[in-house]
mmCIF file of all heavy atoms in Angstrom:
data_model
loop_
_atom_site.group_PDB
_atom_site.id
_atom_site.type_symbol
_atom_site.label_atom_id
_atom_site.label_comp_id
_atom_site.label_asym_id
_atom_site.label_seq_id
_atom_site.Cartn_x
_atom_site.Cartn_y
_atom_site.Cartn_z
ATOM 1 N N PHE N 14 64.319 -102.414 -47.864
ATOM 2 C CA PHE N 14 64.454 -102.700 -46.434
ATOM 3 C C PHE N 14 63.247 -102.137 -45.678
ATOM 4 O O PHE N 14 62.625 -102.827 -44.867
ATOM 5 C CB PHE N 14 65.756 -102.081 -45.908
ATOM 6 C CG PHE N 14 66.160 -102.607 -44.564
ATOM 7 C CD1 PHE N 14 67.055 -103.655 -44.466
ATOM 8 C CD2 PHE N 14 65.639 -102.074 -43.389
ATOM 9 C CE1 PHE N 14 67.432 -104.159 -43.222
ATOM 10 C CE2 PHE N 14 66.002 -102.565 -42.157
ATOM 11 C CZ PHE N 14 66.906 -103.603 -42.070
ATOM 12 N N LYS N 23 58.320 -106.896 -36.537
ATOM 13 C CA LYS N 23 58.930 -107.646 -35.435
ATOM 14 C C LYS N 23 60.196 -108.374 -35.917
ATOM 15 O O LYS N 23 61.209 -108.408 -35.224
ATOM 16 C CB LYS N 23 57.897 -108.654 -34.919
ATOM 17 C CG LYS N 23 58.200 -109.174 -33.557
ATOM 18 C CD LYS N 23 56.982 -109.842 -32.982
ATOM 19 C CE LYS N 23 57.204 -111.238 -32.761
ATOM 20 N NZ LYS N 23 56.920 -112.403 -33.064
ATOM 21 N N GLU N 24 60.131 -108.943 -37.100
ATOM 22 C CA GLU N 24 61.260 -109.733 -37.610
ATOM 23 C C GLU N 24 62.399 -108.821 -38.077
ATOM 24 O O GLU N 24 63.567 -109.104 -37.832
ATOM 25 C CB GLU N 24 60.830 -110.623 -38.789
ATOM 26 C CG GLU N 24 59.961 -111.802 -38.408
ATOM 27 C CD GLU N 24 58.518 -111.400 -38.115
ATOM 28 O OE1 GLU N 24 58.115 -110.255 -38.426
ATOM 29 O OE2 GLU N 24 57.784 -112.230 -37.543
ATOM 30 N N VAL N 25 62.052 -107.736 -38.738
ATOM 31 C CA VAL N 25 63.107 -106.877 -39.321
ATOM 32 C C VAL N 25 63.703 -105.966 -38.247
ATOM 33 O O VAL N 25 64.925 -105.760 -38.191
ATOM 34 C CB VAL N 25 62.579 -106.087 -40.544
ATOM 35 C CG1 VAL N 25 63.651 -105.161 -41.098
ATOM 36 C CG2 VAL N 25 62.125 -107.079 -41.620
ATOM 37 N N GLY N 26 62.871 -105.420 -37.378
ATOM 38 C CA GLY N 26 63.370 -104.772 -36.168
ATOM 39 C C GLY N 26 64.059 -103.426 -36.361
ATOM 40 O O GLY N 26 64.545 -102.842 -35.395
ATOM 41 N N SER N 27 64.140 -102.915 -37.577
ATOM 42 C CA SER N 27 64.814 -101.640 -37.821
ATOM 43 C C SER N 27 64.270 -101.076 -39.129
ATOM 44 O O SER N 27 63.864 -101.835 -40.015
ATOM 45 C CB SER N 27 66.327 -101.901 -37.935
ATOM 46 O OG SER N 27 66.988 -100.776 -38.462
ATOM 47 N N ILE N 29 66.005 -98.970 -41.210
ATOM 48 C CA ILE N 29 67.075 -98.799 -42.215
ATOM 49 C C ILE N 29 68.150 -99.862 -42.027
ATOM 50 O O ILE N 29 68.362 -100.361 -40.918
ATOM 51 C CB ILE N 29 67.752 -97.395 -42.135
ATOM 52 C CG1 ILE N 29 68.139 -97.053 -40.686
ATOM 53 C CG2 ILE N 29 66.899 -96.318 -42.773
ATOM 54 C CD1 ILE N 29 69.041 -95.848 -40.570
ATOM 55 N N PRO N 30 68.859 -100.197 -43.119
ATOM 56 C CA PRO N 30 69.960 -101.161 -42.976
ATOM 57 C C PRO N 30 71.083 -100.570 -42.113
ATOM 58 O O PRO N 30 71.160 -99.358 -41.919
ATOM 59 C CB PRO N 30 70.462 -101.356 -44.411
ATOM 60 C CG PRO N 30 69.495 -100.683 -45.313
ATOM 61 C CD PRO N 30 68.705 -99.714 -44.504
ATOM 62 N N SER N 31 71.960 -101.440 -41.640
ATOM 63 C CA SER N 31 73.101 -100.989 -40.829
ATOM 64 C C SER N 31 74.041 -100.123 -41.663
ATOM 65 O O SER N 31 74.123 -100.263 -42.885
ATOM 66 C CB SER N 31 73.891 -102.196 -40.329
ATOM 67 O OG SER N 31 73.083 -102.966 -39.482
ATOM 68 N N LEU N 35 79.282 -99.485 -38.872
ATOM 69 C CA LEU N 35 78.941 -100.594 -37.980
ATOM 70 C C LEU N 35 79.399 -101.932 -38.572
ATOM 71 O O LEU N 35 80.033 -102.734 -37.879
ATOM 72 C CB LEU N 35 77.425 -100.621 -37.724
ATOM 73 C CG LEU N 35 76.938 -101.829 -36.922
ATOM 74 C CD1 LEU N 35 77.482 -101.789 -35.491
ATOM 75 C CD2 LEU N 35 75.411 -101.888 -36.880
ATOM 76 N N THR N 36 79.096 -102.170 -39.834
ATOM 77 C CA THR N 36 79.415 -103.491 -40.398
ATOM 78 C C THR N 36 80.924 -103.740 -40.362
ATOM 79 O O THR N 36 81.374 -104.845 -40.094
ATOM 80 C CB THR N 36 78.861 -103.647 -41.832
ATOM 81 O OG1 THR N 36 79.318 -102.564 -42.634
ATOM 82 C CG2 THR N 36 77.355 -103.695 -41.844
ATOM 83 N N GLU N 53 76.041 -116.007 -41.706
ATOM 84 C CA GLU N 53 75.412 -114.719 -41.390
ATOM 85 C C GLU N 53 73.932 -114.952 -41.101
ATOM 86 O O GLU N 53 73.215 -115.481 -41.956
ATOM 87 C CB GLU N 53 75.568 -113.731 -42.563
ATOM 88 C CG GLU N 53 74.965 -112.375 -42.199
ATOM 89 C CD GLU N 53 74.944 -111.357 -43.336
ATOM 90 O OE1 GLU N 53 75.323 -111.694 -44.469
ATOM 91 O OE2 GLU N 53 74.505 -110.222 -43.061
ATOM 92 N N LEU N 54 73.480 -114.545 -39.936
ATOM 93 C CA LEU N 54 72.070 -114.691 -39.558
ATOM 94 C C LEU N 54 71.360 -113.361 -39.788
ATOM 95 O O LEU N 54 71.780 -112.336 -39.247
ATOM 96 C CB LEU N 54 71.959 -115.101 -38.084
ATOM 97 C CG LEU N 54 72.725 -116.364 -37.666
ATOM 98 C CD1 LEU N 54 72.562 -116.619 -36.161
ATOM 99 C CD2 LEU N 54 72.272 -117.578 -38.479
ATOM 100 N N GLY N 55 70.316 -113.371 -40.609
ATOM 101 C CA GLY N 55 69.538 -112.153 -40.860
ATOM 102 C C GLY N 55 70.252 -111.157 -41.760
ATOM 103 O O GLY N 55 70.440 -110.006 -41.376
ATOM 104 N N PRO N 56 70.608 -111.551 -42.992
ATOM 105 C CA PRO N 56 71.326 -110.616 -43.874
ATOM 106 C C PRO N 56 70.482 -109.442 -44.356
ATOM 107 O O PRO N 56 71.037 -108.428 -44.790
ATOM 108 C CB PRO N 56 71.744 -111.506 -45.053
ATOM 109 C CG PRO N 56 70.777 -112.650 -45.053
ATOM 110 C CD PRO N 56 70.468 -112.892 -43.604
ATOM 111 N N GLY N 57 69.145 -109.560 -44.320
ATOM 112 C CA GLY N 57 68.296 -108.457 -44.789
ATOM 113 C C GLY N 57 68.580 -108.164 -46.256
ATOM 114 O O GLY N 57 68.563 -109.059 -47.108
ATOM 115 N N THR N 58 68.897 -106.901 -46.565
ATOM 116 C CA THR N 58 69.164 -106.524 -47.959
ATOM 117 C C THR N 58 70.647 -106.645 -48.317
ATOM 118 O O THR N 58 71.053 -106.247 -49.406
ATOM 119 C CB THR N 58 68.652 -105.093 -48.237
ATOM 120 O OG1 THR N 58 69.192 -104.219 -47.236
ATOM 121 C CG2 THR N 58 67.147 -105.028 -48.197
ATOM 122 N N GLY N 59 71.475 -107.119 -47.398
ATOM 123 C CA GLY N 59 72.822 -107.545 -47.779
ATOM 124 C C GLY N 59 73.962 -106.585 -47.532
ATOM 125 O O GLY N 59 75.039 -106.754 -48.094
ATOM 126 N N VAL N 60 73.756 -105.605 -46.663
ATOM 127 C CA VAL N 60 74.837 -104.633 -46.448
ATOM 128 C C VAL N 60 76.097 -105.299 -45.858
ATOM 129 O O VAL N 60 77.220 -105.022 -46.291
ATOM 130 C CB VAL N 60 74.327 -103.419 -45.608
ATOM 131 C CG1 VAL N 60 73.829 -103.820 -44.251
ATOM 132 C CG2 VAL N 60 75.395 -102.355 -45.465
ATOM 133 N N LEU N 61 75.892 -106.213 -44.917
ATOM 134 C CA LEU N 61 77.039 -106.927 -44.325
ATOM 135 C C LEU N 61 77.515 -108.059 -45.235
ATOM 136 O O LEU N 61 78.714 -108.337 -45.338
ATOM 137 C CB LEU N 61 76.633 -107.468 -42.945
ATOM 138 C CG LEU N 61 77.681 -108.198 -42.139
ATOM 139 C CD1 LEU N 61 78.845 -107.279 -41.781
ATOM 140 C CD2 LEU N 61 77.075 -108.748 -40.840
ATOM 141 N N VAL N 78 71.485 -116.969 -43.625
ATOM 142 C CA VAL N 78 70.197 -117.561 -43.216
ATOM 143 C C VAL N 78 69.197 -116.425 -42.989
ATOM 144 O O VAL N 78 69.374 -115.609 -42.072
ATOM 145 C CB VAL N 78 70.374 -118.377 -41.913
ATOM 146 C CG1 VAL N 78 69.056 -119.026 -41.501
ATOM 147 C CG2 VAL N 78 71.468 -119.420 -42.066
ATOM 148 N N GLU N 79 68.192 -116.359 -43.838
ATOM 149 C CA GLU N 79 67.233 -115.240 -43.788
ATOM 150 C C GLU N 79 65.803 -115.779 -43.786
ATOM 151 O O GLU N 79 65.448 -116.620 -44.602
ATOM 152 C CB GLU N 79 67.484 -114.314 -44.989
ATOM 153 C CG GLU N 79 66.452 -113.236 -45.221
ATOM 154 C CD GLU N 79 66.239 -112.300 -44.033
ATOM 155 O OE1 GLU N 79 67.211 -111.699 -43.555
ATOM 156 O OE2 GLU N 79 65.079 -112.187 -43.575
ATOM 157 N N LEU N 80 65.002 -115.210 -42.881
ATOM 158 C CA LEU N 80 63.615 -115.651 -42.706
ATOM 159 C C LEU N 80 62.703 -115.194 -43.856
ATOM 160 O O LEU N 80 61.821 -115.934 -44.286
ATOM 161 C CB LEU N 80 63.116 -115.041 -41.389
ATOM 162 C CG LEU N 80 61.988 -115.667 -40.622
ATOM 163 C CD1 LEU N 80 62.231 -117.136 -40.354
ATOM 164 C CD2 LEU N 80 61.789 -114.903 -39.309
ATOM 165 N N LEU N 81 62.893 -113.987 -44.336
ATOM 166 C CA LEU N 81 61.933 -113.417 -45.280
ATOM 167 C C LEU N 81 62.289 -113.749 -46.729
ATOM 168 O O LEU N 81 63.368 -113.384 -47.215
ATOM 169 C CB LEU N 81 61.866 -111.892 -45.128
ATOM 170 C CG LEU N 81 61.462 -111.373 -43.748
ATOM 171 C CD1 LEU N 81 61.285 -109.862 -43.783
ATOM 172 C CD2 LEU N 81 60.177 -112.031 -43.264
ATOM 173 N N PHE N 84 63.623 -110.949 -49.091
ATOM 174 C CA PHE N 84 65.038 -110.580 -48.944
ATOM 175 C C PHE N 84 65.936 -111.650 -49.583
ATOM 176 O O PHE N 84 66.947 -111.327 -50.193
ATOM 177 C CB PHE N 84 65.408 -110.389 -47.468
ATOM 178 C CG PHE N 84 64.890 -109.105 -46.843
ATOM 179 C CD1 PHE N 84 64.821 -108.956 -45.460
ATOM 180 C CD2 PHE N 84 64.486 -108.033 -47.637
ATOM 181 C CE1 PHE N 84 64.363 -107.782 -44.880
ATOM 182 C CE2 PHE N 84 64.012 -106.845 -47.059
ATOM 183 C CZ PHE N 84 63.954 -106.720 -45.681
ATOM 184 N N GLY N 102 64.954 -119.519 -44.125
ATOM 185 C CA GLY N 102 64.401 -120.196 -42.959
ATOM 186 C C GLY N 102 64.881 -119.511 -41.698
ATOM 187 O O GLY N 102 65.444 -118.409 -41.730
ATOM 188 N N SER N 103 64.660 -120.211 -40.575
ATOM 189 C CA SER N 103 64.981 -119.622 -39.275
ATOM 190 C C SER N 103 66.450 -119.841 -38.908
ATOM 191 O O SER N 103 67.048 -120.880 -39.221
ATOM 192 C CB SER N 103 64.107 -120.273 -38.202
ATOM 193 O OG SER N 103 64.625 -119.979 -36.920
ATOM 194 N N SER N 104 66.974 -118.888 -38.175
ATOM 195 C CA SER N 104 68.333 -118.975 -37.631
ATOM 196 C C SER N 104 68.504 -120.237 -36.775
ATOM 197 O O SER N 104 69.609 -120.767 -36.669
ATOM 198 C CB SER N 104 68.608 -117.740 -36.781
ATOM 199 O OG SER N 104 67.566 -117.557 -35.837
ATOM 200 N N ALA N 105 67.398 -120.726 -36.189
ATOM 201 C CA ALA N 105 67.485 -121.926 -35.347
ATOM 202 C C ALA N 105 67.874 -123.152 -36.180
ATOM 203 O O ALA N 105 68.333 -124.159 -35.641
ATOM 204 C CB ALA N 105 66.156 -122.155 -34.629
ATOM 205 N N GLY N 125 72.597 -110.304 -37.029
ATOM 206 C CA GLY N 125 71.890 -109.030 -36.896
ATOM 207 C C GLY N 125 70.424 -109.249 -36.581
ATOM 208 O O GLY N 125 69.621 -108.333 -36.715
ATOM 209 N N ILE N 126 70.047 -110.462 -36.176
ATOM 210 C CA ILE N 126 68.618 -110.733 -35.934
ATOM 211 C C ILE N 126 68.189 -110.143 -34.588
ATOM 212 O O ILE N 126 68.988 -110.066 -33.654
ATOM 213 C CB ILE N 126 68.286 -112.250 -36.009
ATOM 214 C CG1 ILE N 126 69.067 -113.048 -34.968
ATOM 215 C CG2 ILE N 126 68.529 -112.795 -37.398
ATOM 216 C CD1 ILE N 126 68.709 -114.525 -34.938
ATOM 217 N N PRO N 127 66.928 -109.710 -34.486
ATOM 218 C CA PRO N 127 66.471 -109.036 -33.259
ATOM 219 C C PRO N 127 66.070 -110.022 -32.150
ATOM 220 O O PRO N 127 64.929 -110.443 -32.062
ATOM 221 C CB PRO N 127 65.273 -108.212 -33.741
ATOM 222 C CG PRO N 127 64.811 -108.857 -34.997
ATOM 223 C CD PRO N 127 65.911 -109.703 -35.553
ATOM 224 N N MET N 131 62.218 -111.720 -30.866
ATOM 225 C CA MET N 131 61.907 -113.066 -31.361
ATOM 226 C C MET N 131 61.453 -113.977 -30.219
ATOM 227 O O MET N 131 61.707 -113.690 -29.047
ATOM 228 C CB MET N 131 63.089 -113.655 -32.135
ATOM 229 C CG MET N 131 64.256 -114.101 -31.316
ATOM 230 S SD MET N 131 65.749 -114.279 -32.344
ATOM 231 C CE MET N 131 65.428 -115.828 -33.154
ATOM 232 N N GLU N 135 63.097 -119.896 -29.865
ATOM 233 C CA GLU N 135 63.828 -119.819 -31.135
ATOM 234 C C GLU N 135 65.196 -119.147 -30.902
ATOM 235 O O GLU N 135 66.213 -119.568 -31.459
ATOM 236 C CB GLU N 135 63.009 -119.012 -32.150
ATOM 237 C CG GLU N 135 63.581 -119.047 -33.554
ATOM 238 C CD GLU N 135 62.779 -118.182 -34.535
ATOM 239 O OE1 GLU N 135 62.046 -117.283 -34.093
ATOM 240 O OE2 GLU N 135 62.925 -118.426 -35.739
ATOM 241 N N THR N 139 68.750 -120.981 -31.446
ATOM 242 C CA THR N 139 69.723 -120.351 -32.353
ATOM 243 C C THR N 139 71.100 -120.275 -31.681
ATOM 244 O O THR N 139 72.129 -120.632 -32.270
ATOM 245 C CB THR N 139 69.254 -118.921 -32.723
ATOM 246 O OG1 THR N 139 68.011 -119.022 -33.418
ATOM 247 C CG2 THR N 139 70.274 -118.196 -33.572
ATOM 248 N N TYR N 156 75.250 -107.946 -33.243
ATOM 249 C CA TYR N 156 75.119 -106.491 -33.087
ATOM 250 C C TYR N 156 73.658 -106.174 -32.851
ATOM 251 O O TYR N 156 72.784 -106.643 -33.562
ATOM 252 C CB TYR N 156 75.702 -105.719 -34.277
ATOM 253 C CG TYR N 156 75.215 -106.128 -35.632
ATOM 254 C CD1 TYR N 156 74.243 -105.370 -36.309
ATOM 255 C CD2 TYR N 156 75.719 -107.248 -36.275
ATOM 256 C CE1 TYR N 156 73.805 -105.724 -37.576
ATOM 257 C CE2 TYR N 156 75.276 -107.616 -37.536
ATOM 258 C CZ TYR N 156 74.325 -106.862 -38.170
ATOM 259 O OH TYR N 156 73.883 -107.221 -39.424
ATOM 260 N N MET N 185 74.365 -98.993 -31.761
ATOM 261 C CA MET N 185 74.326 -100.452 -31.554
ATOM 262 C C MET N 185 75.477 -100.877 -30.668
ATOM 263 O O MET N 185 76.555 -100.279 -30.718
ATOM 264 C CB MET N 185 74.506 -101.176 -32.881
ATOM 265 C CG MET N 185 73.399 -100.981 -33.844
ATOM 266 S SD MET N 185 72.179 -102.295 -33.663
ATOM 267 C CE MET N 185 71.040 -101.799 -34.931
HETATM 268 C C1 LIG W 1 67.760 -105.653 -38.136
HETATM 269 S S1 LIG W 1 67.613 -106.538 -39.672
HETATM 270 C C2 LIG W 1 69.362 -106.623 -40.078
HETATM 271 C C3 LIG W 1 69.599 -106.665 -41.558
HETATM 272 C C4 LIG W 1 71.070 -106.526 -41.984
HETATM 273 N N1 LIG W 1 71.887 -107.591 -41.449
HETATM 274 C C5 LIG W 1 71.633 -105.191 -41.568
HETATM 275 O O1 LIG W 1 72.505 -105.161 -40.679
HETATM 276 O O2 LIG W 1 71.205 -104.169 -42.125
HETATM 277 C C6 LIG W 1 67.221 -108.197 -39.104
HETATM 278 C C7 LIG W 1 67.122 -109.236 -40.216
HETATM 279 O O3 LIG W 1 66.994 -110.527 -39.606
HETATM 280 C C8 LIG W 1 65.955 -111.280 -40.244
HETATM 281 N N2 LIG W 1 65.455 -112.225 -39.237
HETATM 282 C C9 LIG W 1 64.711 -111.959 -38.145
HETATM 283 N N3 LIG W 1 64.519 -113.072 -37.420
HETATM 284 C C10 LIG W 1 65.173 -114.072 -38.067
HETATM 285 C C11 LIG W 1 65.359 -115.453 -37.812
HETATM 286 N N4 LIG W 1 64.841 -116.035 -36.737
HETATM 287 N N5 LIG W 1 66.093 -116.178 -38.673
HETATM 288 C C12 LIG W 1 66.630 -115.615 -39.788
HETATM 289 N N6 LIG W 1 66.490 -114.295 -40.092
HETATM 290 C C13 LIG W 1 65.774 -113.532 -39.228
HETATM 291 C C14 LIG W 1 64.971 -110.206 -40.677
HETATM 292 O O4 LIG W 1 64.108 -110.652 -41.698
HETATM 293 C C15 LIG W 1 65.939 -109.085 -41.131
HETATM 294 O O5 LIG W 1 66.343 -109.316 -42.448
#
Side-chain angles (χ1 to χ4, degrees):
F14 195 95
K23 198 165 116 246
E24 288 76 13
V25 177
S27 167
I29 49 168
S31 297
L35 174 66
T36 54
E53 183 186 4
L54 305 178
T58 52
V60 60
L61 182 63
V78 182
E79 171 57 55
L80 204 53
L81 301 186
F84 285 162
S103 165
S104 51
I126 60 176
M131 74 198 283
E135 189 183 20
T139 298
Y156 52 102
M185 294 268 181

